Amino acid sequence: MKNNEDFYTVRGYEILGKKKKMLSHSMEDYLEMIYRNSIEEGYVRINTLAESLNVQAPSATKMVQKLTKLGYLQYEKYGIVKLTPKGEKIGRFLLERHKIIEDFLKLIGVKEKLLVNVELIEHNVTKGALAKIKILNSFFKSYPEIFKKFQEYSLAYKEDES
Ligand code: FE2
């Protein structure tokens, strides 16, 4: 019996742990956008949020309610959305992650569908890979002469046909 209980306890924690980390891509987009939009005033209106995410206000309200239940947001009257400390923490991270990926793609010369690519990568990149990309960005910025070499190399690069 004891073993069984232990088993369920461990399993439960695992599930909880997973649940905690389980933010869907869409939830991440919302938290990132709410963070972006509330930097200046400390809050964002549901209509502004819906507009900036290109969704209908009722969808935004639904998601905001969900994120409020999960403890990331404080949904006040009159359509005012605020981040909780936990929401702010994750929002800051999500915005930073977005910027790191965007910087990286710009540095390597991606111009076409830049934001589409950022969106595709940011939700899937691992923490470890993100940290390495951040170092590469910083390296290129610290050594403009090496970055210039890279750009020249990149422009002259031809697929190896062998
Ligand atoms: Fe993003």
Side-chain angles (χ1 to χ4, degrees):
M1 261 325 215
K2 181 122 201 346
N3 278 344
N4 240 356
E5 266 170 37
D6 280 351
F7 172 78
Y8 282 114
T9 309
V10 171
R11 186 83 189 102
Y13 275 123
E14 268 174 22
I15 293 165
L16 267 181
K18 260 185 208 155
K19 234 183 176 178
K20 258 191 194 165
K21 272 184 248 159
M22 271 279 243
L23 281 175
S24 66
H25 293 179
S26 168
M27 286 169 164
E28 289 187 348
D29 284 339
Y30 269 82
L31 287 171
E32 184 190 325
M33 193 56 86
I34 293 166
Y35 184 80
R36 263 178 206 275
N37 285 343
S38 54
I39 287 173
E40 276 182 20
E41 294 183 279
Y43 69 88
V44 59
R45 286 181 193 281
I46 202 101
N47 289 333
T48 314
L49 179 65
E51 245 170 61
S52 31
L53 284 165
N54 269 317
V55 298
Q56 299 294 318
S59 321
T61 305
K62 231 179 173 179
M63 180 60 99
V64 163
Q65 284 165 344
K66 215 177 191 178
L67 290 166
T68 302
K69 260 189 199 157
L70 289 169
Y72 295 104
L73 301 176
Q74 211 181 315
Y75 186 34
E76 300 183 354
K77 283 175 199 165
Y78 316 116
I80 287 185
V81 182
K82 283 183 182 169
L83 289 159
T84 61
K86 174 176 146 179
E88 198 183 324
K89 212 171 141 196
I90 195 134
R92 192 182 305 124
F93 164 74
L94 292 170
L95 182 57
E96 204 211 342
R97 185 181 70 181
H98 181 105
K99 284 183 178 161
I100 292 169
I101 300 298
E102 190 178 345
D103 274 4
F104 167 67
L105 292 178
K106 280 182 182 163
L107 283 171
I108 61 170
V110 175
K111 290 191 183 84
E112 231 176 277
K113 296 190 174 168
L114 179 70
L115 285 178
V116 173
N117 277 299
V118 175
E119 287 300 319
L120 287 170
I121 296 169
E122 70 179 347
H123 296 296
N124 298 295
V125 69
T126 64
K127 209 175 167 189
L130 186 70
K132 298 295 183 194
I133 290 170
K134 192 176 177 182
I135 294 172
L136 185 74
N137 290 348
S138 162
F139 173 75
F140 273 155
K141 284 175 187 167
S142 305
Y143 297 98
E145 65 283 6
I146 293 176
F147 179 58
K148 207 175 158 226
K149 285 255 178 231
F150 168 75
Q151 284 182 307
E152 286 162 6
Y153 183 84
S154 186
L155 282 172
Y157 186 82
K158 299 237 171 17
E159 281 293 337
D160 191 350
E161 283 172 3
S162 65

